[in-house]
């Protein structure tokens, strides 16, 4: 919608009220200007809004302290900011920090956290932390993570992304878990919270929900709000696990907003602003600013990417993969064989694996990858009867050991693993029949 008469008082991101025919206000945000007229998009439904309606610019909405004003002189009174506190743990909120769990108002903190902010300077940001036990065998073995790392979970529909996320939310050892459910089906929210996360997991979590029926600015704001909450706890020196499902829906919301502003679609319908905004969000995760007197906090982030038609080169998947520190591929064919989590360990990668493995673990994983790769190459020939056992020692070894490794990667959602246990089991499989001098 277009609003005239207030452009001199507004900037992109300014919030205002549009008044419906029945007098009720609808919160909206300025997304751009066309010929001096503000183009706005509502956070709520647009019924009963029409031409000739009135709008009001939101004036002082938050009580800033003198210290807040001195630290952030550019803050406008209508700028989005949150007063977060530890009392938010265990709560479920919408992107505007309104409670959705029926437990009353959220506690107010002592300081304000900006919803949109810049990440710590690259030269002042701390290094990644120690290795993190993810509790998922396939990831511990083949996609190890450090505290503050950022990874993507890439998969088509129905391959088990939400189940894997719930396992990470329960099993990763951290101080706080922040979960952003963006563009999800409404029925899945309670299922994820009650069955996937559970009461124990919810106690240390803050969940931001914007289902698929919400407006594009509401779905986009969910990502910013969730990241701001994660940054708040990181700034307290805590270790934070950040889970977003999904960043594809975030990009879809950005596409709708960009097209509403008249941007030309570039890559498969996505305007250029989508790919400019992605790194601004992703770079906010990771280690915090280096502190002289205490260890910095960290945000270990997992972003799910819904891959349309299993095309892992589509624009969003390609852009996100280039910005992250690793990727986990969930494969439909593995899921069809009944192995869950359906992680394709040969195509998955952690860019920080060399910092996580000990020399012995690195050699063990390398040998396991060779065995699995050989097995995949020969699978069709064996099925067709074109390979005769004994023709190649390396192939014979892979045919014996690869099924055992596949069985090792099978894991129930209620089964938690550990790094030491996982590598001991992998070692027992490989060394039972593997000659170290053979190169396998």
């Amino acid at each position: 919608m277009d609003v005239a008469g207030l452009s001199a008082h507004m900037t992109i991101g300014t919030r205002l009220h549009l008044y419906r025919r029945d007098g009720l206000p609808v919160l909206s945000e300025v997304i751009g200007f066309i010929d001096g007229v503000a183009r706005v998009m509502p956070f709520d439904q647009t019924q009963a809004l029409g031409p000739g309606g009135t709008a009001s610019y939101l004036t002082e909405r938050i009580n800033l302290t003198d210290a807040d004003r001195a630290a952030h002189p550019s803050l406008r009174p209508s700028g989005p900011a949150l007063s977060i506190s530890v009392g938010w743990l265990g709560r479920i909120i919408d992107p505007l920090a309104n409670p959705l769990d029926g437990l009353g108002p959220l506690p107010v903190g002592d300081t304000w956290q900006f919803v949109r902010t810049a990440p710590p300077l690259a030269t002042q940001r701390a290094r990644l932390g120690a290795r993190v036990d993810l509790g998922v065998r396939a990831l511990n073995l083949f996609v190890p993570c450090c505290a503050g790392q950022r990874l993507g979970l890439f998969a088509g529909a129905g391959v088990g992304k939400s189940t894997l996320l719930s396992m990470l939310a329960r099993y990763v050892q951290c101080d706080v878990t922040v979960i952003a459910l963006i563009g999800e089906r409404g029925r899945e929210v309670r299922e994820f919270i009650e069955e996937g996360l559970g009461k124990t997991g919810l106690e240390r979590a803050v969940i931001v929900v914007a289902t698929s029926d919400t407006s594009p600015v509401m779905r986009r704001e969910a990502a910013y709000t969730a990241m701001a909450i994660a940054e708040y706890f990181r700034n307290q020196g805590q270790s934070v696990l950040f889970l977003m499902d999904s960043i594809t829906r975030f990009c879809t919301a950005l596409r709708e907003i960009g097209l509403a502003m008249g941007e030309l679609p570039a890559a498969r319908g996505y305007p250029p602003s989508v790919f400019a905004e992605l790194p601004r969000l992703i770079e906010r995760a990771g280690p915090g600013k280096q502190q002289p007197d205490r260890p910095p906090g960290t945000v270990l982030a997992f972003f799910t990417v819904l891959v349309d038609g299993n095309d892992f080169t589509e624009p969003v998947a390609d852009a996100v993969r280039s910005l992250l520190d690793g990727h986990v591929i969930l494969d439909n064919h593995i899921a069809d064989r009944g192995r869950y989590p359906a992680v394709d360990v040969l195509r998955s990668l952690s860019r920080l694996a060399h910092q996580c493995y000990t020399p012995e673990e690195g050699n063990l994983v390398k040998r396991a990858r060779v065995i699995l790769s050989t097995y995949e190459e020969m699978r069709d020939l064996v099925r067709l009867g074109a390979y005769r056992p004994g023709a190649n020692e390396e192939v014979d070894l892979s045919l014996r050991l690869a099924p055992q490794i596949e069985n090792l990667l099978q894991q129930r959602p209620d089964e938690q693993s550990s790094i030491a246990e996982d590598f001991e089991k992998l070692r027992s499989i490989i060394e039972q029949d593997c000659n170290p001098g053979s190169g396998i």
Side-chain angles (χ1 to χ4, degrees):
M1 297 185 177
D2 292 334
V3 175
L6 293 175
S7 298
H9 306 281
M10 296 186 295
T11 61
I12 293 176
T14 295
R15 292 180 179 176
L16 64 160
H17 276 146
L18 305 181
Y19 290 92
R20 308 189 332 171
R21 301 292 191 193
D22 56 10
L24 295 178
V26 176
L27 182 65
S28 306
E29 181 175 305
V30 177
I31 62 173
F33 297 89
I34 298 178
D35 296 329
V37 177
R39 176 67 54 86
V40 305
M41 186 170 280
F43 282 91
D44 204 346
Q45 301 296 328
T46 57
Q47 285 85 355
L49 286 172
T54 59
S56 65
Y57 166 75
L58 295 185
T59 56
E60 189 71 37
R61 294 195 302 111
I62 53 180
N63 298 319
L64 297 177
T65 65
D66 292 338
D68 289 328
R69 294 183 185 278
H72 307 286
S74 61
L75 175 66
R76 295 179 60 88
S78 61
L82 301 173
S83 182
I84 308 169
S85 76
V86 293
W88 287 31
L89 294 177
R91 302 301 300 270
I92 306 168
I93 64 175
D94 73 4
L96 301 178
N98 299 311
L100 299 176
D101 49 16
L103 299 179
L106 294 171
V108 177
D110 298 328
T111 60
W112 293 96
Q113 180 73 32
F114 290 95
V115 173
R116 297 178 216 173
T117 186
L121 292 176
T123 55
Q124 299 177 5
R125 171 169 278 186
R127 299 285 299 272
L128 293 178
R131 184 176 183 178
V132 177
D133 192 336
L134 301 177
V136 180
R137 197 171 296 121
L139 303 186
N140 277 343
L141 291 173
F142 293 94
V143 195
C145 296
C146 297
Q149 195 167 339
R150 303 166 305 193
L151 292 100
L153 303 179
F154 295 75
V159 189
K161 297 188 301 298
S162 296
T163 301
L164 181 55
L165 279 185
S166 67
M167 295 173 69
L168 292 171
R170 289 198 306 271
Y171 300 148
V172 173
Q173 296 300 310
C174 62
D175 299 317
V176 176
T177 304
V178 179
I179 303 173
L181 301 178
I182 303 174
E184 292 299 302
R185 305 173 186 89
R187 68 166 181 83
E188 292 182 335
V189 174
R190 284 191 61 185
E191 292 177 5
F192 180 87
I193 295 172
E194 296 177 5
E195 299 178 12
L197 192 59
K199 182 178 179 180
T200 304
L202 180 60
E203 290 176 349
R204 65 171 186 178
V206 182
I207 303 176
V208 182
V209 177
T211 52
S212 58
D213 59 318
T214 56
S215 67
V217 285
M218 190 70 94
R219 282 177 271 134
R220 180 208 60 188
E221 200 71 10
Y224 296 139
T225 297
M227 187 63 74
I229 296 171
E231 289 173 322
Y232 167 80
F233 287 105
R234 180 184 66 188
N235 294 342
Q236 311 303 311
Q238 301 190 34
S239 61
V240 181
L241 173 65
F242 181 83
L243 305 174
M244 179 185 288
D245 188 13
S246 70
I247 200 168
T248 304
R249 304 302 187 196
F250 168 72
C251 292
T252 301
L254 292 177
R255 176 173 62 183
E256 294 179 47
I257 295 171
L259 295 178
M261 266 306 301
E263 281 191 76
L264 294 177
R268 297 196 191 179
Y270 288 95
S273 61
V274 174
F275 304 102
E277 197 64 31
L278 264 177
R280 297 193 186 110
L281 176 71
I282 292 175
E283 283 293 331
R284 290 169 63 181
K289 185 177 179 180
Q290 184 69 52
Q291 301 293 335
D293 55 342
R294 60 174 174 81
T298 60
V299 176
L300 169 60
F302 288 86
F303 302 89
T304 68
V305 183
L306 181 60
V307 183
D308 294 332
N310 287 328
D311 181 8
F312 290 90
T313 63
E314 61 97 15
V316 171
D318 207 38
V320 172
R321 187 168 54 245
S322 69
L323 295 170
L324 297 176
D325 303 317
H327 52 269
V328 178
I329 306 295
L330 302 182
D331 189 85
N332 294 76
H333 299 295
I334 295 177
D336 292 341
R337 297 201 300 265
R339 198 257 281 170
Y340 289 95
V343 177
D344 188 336
V345 297
L346 294 179
R347 297 166 62 197
S348 300
L349 171 71
S350 171
R351 301 184 193 277
L352 280 304
H354 63 282
Q355 296 185 22
C356 298
Y357 292 138
T358 65
E360 181 187 4
E361 291 172 345
N363 291 332
L364 199 63
V365 170
K366 181 179 179 181
R367 291 159 66 184
R369 284 185 176 275
V370 171
I371 290 171
L372 292 174
S373 178
T374 303
Y375 182 75
E376 287 299 318
E377 292 175 0
M378 300 299 297
R379 183 193 294 271
D380 292 337
L381 292 178
V382 172
R383 185 181 296 115
L384 295 173
Y387 175 75
R388 297 179 59 183
N392 186 289
E393 182 180 352
E394 181 178 328
V395 174
D396 291 342
L397 181 66
S398 69
L399 295 179
R400 289 194 302 270
L401 300 187
Q404 298 181 49
I405 297 176
E406 287 284 330
N407 290 335
L408 174 63
L409 299 179
Q410 176 80 31
Q411 187 174 348
R412 300 188 313 273
D414 59 351
E415 176 190 358
Q416 182 177 1
S417 68
S418 67
I419 294 176
E421 175 190 350
D422 296 339
F423 274 97
E424 183 58 35
K425 290 181 178 179
L426 181 62
R427 183 181 298 106
S428 65
I429 291 174
I430 292 181
E431 292 185 350
Q432 66 174 328
D433 201 7
C434 218
N435 180 8
S438 65
I440 301 299

